[in-house]
Amino acid sequence: MIYQHPLAYLLGIEGAALMRAFNGDFDREFTEARLAEVQGLLESASQLGAARQTRPVSAADGYDTWAGRYDQPGNQLIDIEQPVVRRILDQLPRGTALDAACGTGRHAEYLAELGHPVLGVDASAEMLAVARAKVPGGEFHQGDLHQLPLPGQCADIVVCALALAHVGDLGPVLGEFARVLRPGGHLVISDTTHEWPVVLELPGGDFACLPHYNHRPSDYLAAALPLGLQVRRCEEPGLAERMLDPQEPHPEAPPAHPADIWSLQRWCPAAANAVFRDTPVAIVWHFQLSS
């Protein structure tokens, strides 16, 4: 079980902002404002909602639950990640493309629009149903990233988006990507770099968290380079263009769950802006397999 307390999250944001000020990024006025805000948060803790014990579920079960609303607007991580991935895909030669952990098929659909024959693999049957409807000409399989249900050297491009944070050891999964790639093929990976797990609302109003591992850039390199995957590009997009308005009043109602960080951050917008400005929340890799 994960114990998540909304006040603890906000105090963590304030603490991170104060550390940046302590390092010289901000002035005395900023520091004193943060200390006053911390005092205010402590005094208004009852308005923030109660802590929750959140139970873990498997990624497949979690995404089965999420499938019907995953593509709805408002997922800021997708808004940040997707343009970077698409800029890379736009430059790749046409060939058979595998969307690994394809989910609802948002990248598979784009690859099909670019003219690539599309394969898709995902562990969630519900997600695959959405992907098949979205890309009727694609070939989709239910399966695990550790053992892709595909023959070797069947793809010219492999895309794996926002999925490897659910994988503890990158080595076996990247080994599968290298196995199914043809020599000279391209691997495009996007992933999160933040510290918080994905929490989903389940039918009936309960909540559950998905497995989450925060991989370092060196972890990807340690897994990729021995396989002959050569780095062609790496970007770490952040929230620079999505800063909060410090003058906007905080929400009157507490968030439904302490993991709703986007709502919680509105209780301390200046501190959140200080923490997330110039701080990556995602990483996007472009590798190419040696010929």
Side-chain angles (χ1 to χ4, degrees):
M1 301 290 283
I2 295 178
Y3 181 73
Q4 296 174 311
H5 198 298
L7 179 61
Y9 175 80
L10 291 174
L11 293 180
I13 291 291
E14 296 283 1
L18 284 166
M19 286 300 295
R20 296 192 71 165
F22 194 82
N23 195 44
D25 292 352
F26 302 100
D27 59 14
R28 175 178 177 175
E29 180 181 1
F30 177 90
T31 298
E32 292 180 347
R34 301 285 66 72
L35 293 173
E37 194 165 61
V38 167
Q39 185 63 43
L41 289 170
L42 291 170
E43 293 172 353
S44 60
S46 61
Q47 301 177 43
L48 299 170
R52 281 182 178 265
Q53 295 268 19
T54 309
R55 65 180 180 87
V57 295
S58 70
D61 289 343
Y63 280 102
D64 275 345
T65 299
W66 205 0
R69 59 187 187 276
Y70 185 83
D71 285 340
Q72 292 178 359
N75 188 328
Q76 293 194 49
L77 189 57
I78 289 178
D79 294 341
I80 292 167
E81 169 263 2
Q82 188 163 277
V84 181
V85 171
R86 289 187 173 182
R87 284 198 297 271
I88 297 172
L89 297 181
D90 288 344
Q91 300 173 14
L92 300 184
R94 189 176 300 176
T96 300
L98 166 63
D99 190 355
C102 63
T104 58
R106 60 189 180 92
H107 287 309
E109 182 180 37
Y110 188 70
L111 288 161
E113 291 172 355
L114 292 175
H116 301 279
V118 171
L119 304 170
V121 173
D122 201 274
S124 165
E126 297 297 327
M127 285 281 192
L128 283 171
V130 178
R132 290 187 177 106
K134 192 179 294 184
V135 192
E139 178 186 327
F140 292 93
H141 304 269
Q142 187 170 4
D144 187 87
L145 293 180
H146 294 82
Q147 192 172 2
L148 295 170
L150 297 169
Q153 298 189 11
C154 65
D156 301 288
I157 299 168
V158 173
V159 178
C160 184
L162 303 180
L164 295 183
H166 305 312
V167 173
D169 184 357
L170 295 175
V173 173
L174 265 65
E176 277 293 276
F177 296 161
R179 179 184 68 81
V180 300
L181 272 174
R182 297 185 179 112
H186 299 268
L187 171 62
V188 181
I189 292 171
S190 69
D191 207 358
T192 64
T193 58
H194 57 65
E195 299 290 343
W196 54 88
V198 175
V199 174
L200 303 174
E201 184 173 3
L202 302 175
D206 195 9
F207 290 85
C209 60
L210 300 183
H212 180 87
Y213 304 90
N214 195 34
H215 302 298
R216 299 167 296 183
S218 59
D219 295 328
Y220 297 95
L221 295 175
L225 297 182
L227 297 169
L229 291 164
Q230 302 170 345
V231 179
R232 296 295 179 235
R233 186 172 180 176
C234 181
E235 292 191 37
E236 295 181 279
L239 293 165
E241 298 178 0
R242 293 172 172 81
M243 295 293 100
L244 299 168
D245 181 0
Q247 305 305 317
E248 182 180 350
H250 63 69
E252 293 185 3
H257 191 279
D260 181 6
I261 61 167
W262 311 112
S263 294
L264 281 174
Q265 287 171 14
R266 291 171 58 195
W267 286 77
C268 59
N273 287 346
V275 171
F276 289 106
R277 181 180 284 113
D278 302 323
T279 300
V281 297
I283 190 166
V284 180
W285 293 94
H286 174 196
F287 295 100
Q288 186 172 16
L289 187 64
S290 300
S291 299

